[in-house]
Amino acid sequence: MTRALLLVDLQNDFMPGGALAVREGDLVVPTANLLEPRFDLVIATQDWHPPNHGSFASNHPGAKPGDLGELGGLPQVYWPDHCVQGTHGSWFHRDVELNGVTIFRKGTDPGIDSYSAIFDNGHRKATGLGDFLLARGVRETVILGLATDYCVKFTVLDARGLGLDVIVVEDGCRGVELIPGDSDRAFEAMRATGARIVRSSEL
Ligand code: VGL
Ligand code: ZN
């Protein structure tokens, strides 16, 4: 049985000091590096927005980061500009081991956001990651990264939707926590779909 390790959005903009900083985001990098050698297949996802991306508050006159608006007919949190294609903020944290790692990019369509690394937020288009995993015979994915309450959560939900077994590494995740408790609620939502939430020491 093939198991894949999925590292979600370990990018500078989600690290302390970044444009959409996640508290302690950098602390998950050593966990990712520790687990990598145990997997034949390691995938890193990259939030990869064009400058005119509709999730940016800056592209909506009068809006500010954290506001709730609309994009592509869906409710949308407006974010600070982040992970703009090719910028320092879009690149992976310098300590992430990328040797032999396959990279999947998402969020490239300015008209819709894509928290999940598998489908956009409207489930309109696939990124290719789902087919990639299924074509390689992957049955189980171990997932960690940033942010627990957005991209990790929706990637886990979509992976479960494809019928994959999912193990989420709790200490390998940190959340945005726009509302305190969002990460706990996200873990609960993941668990409710059948994902197992474990500590890296249990793996
Ligand atoms: C993310 C908000 C906006 C994430 C990406 O990686 O969780 N969150 N874009
Ligand atoms: Zn984004």
Side-chain angles (χ1 to χ4, degrees):
M1 201 242 324
T2 308
R3 282 197 328 161
L5 177 65
L6 205 55
L7 309 174
V8 177
D9 297 2
L10 300 181
Q11 297 165 265
N12 289 321
D13 271 340
F14 299 120
M15 300 293 166
L20 211 174
V22 174
R23 200 172 75 91
E24 297 184 344
D26 53 332
L27 297 189
V28 312
V29 174
T31 306
N33 290 340
L34 186 79
L35 293 177
E36 281 196 38
R38 302 203 220 154
F39 291 80
D40 294 326
L41 189 58
V42 182
I43 292 138
T45 70
Q46 198 172 24
D47 210 30
W48 192 249
H49 299 309
N52 65 340
H53 198 261
S55 74
F56 297 169
S58 64
N59 289 319
H60 301 270
K64 55 183 193 324
D67 286 354
L68 189 61
E70 188 253 52
L71 183 64
L74 301 168
Q76 173 71 47
V77 176
Y78 290 148
W79 301 107
D81 291 22
H82 65 279
C83 299
V84 174
Q85 296 172 1
T87 61
H88 172 78
S90 75
W91 196 242
F92 296 100
H93 184 290
R94 56 183 293 172
D95 295 338
V96 177
E97 178 56 64
L98 292 172
N99 220 336
V101 173
T102 304
I103 296 170
F104 273 86
R105 289 171 169 167
K106 63 188 178 66
T108 53
D109 180 344
I112 194 158
D113 211 352
S114 188
Y115 294 143
S116 162
I118 298 174
F119 294 105
D120 64 50
N121 289 2
H123 276 223
R124 290 168 196 162
K125 283 191 193 141
T127 62
L129 175 58
D131 285 343
F132 176 90
L133 294 172
L134 297 176
R136 273 161 187 73
V138 172
R139 295 279 304 279
E140 182 179 287
T141 54
V142 174
I143 301 181
L144 63 80
L146 307 173
T148 311
D149 35 3
Y150 290 94
C151 292
V152 171
K153 172 184 165 184
F154 288 101
T155 298
V156 167
L157 266 43
D158 280 348
R160 289 293 302 138
L162 292 179
L164 295 165
D165 288 337
V166 177
I167 295 176
V168 186
V169 185
E170 191 174 16
D171 52 314
C173 299
R174 292 293 188 282
V176 176
E177 300 263 320
L178 271 185
I179 301 169
D182 277 354
S183 291
D184 286 344
R185 284 185 286 275
F187 282 126
E188 212 38 64
M190 294 185 248
R191 202 177 275 120
T193 69
R196 286 174 52 211
I197 317 293
V198 307
R199 314 277 314 165
S200 57
S201 58
E202 298 173 59
L203 281 171

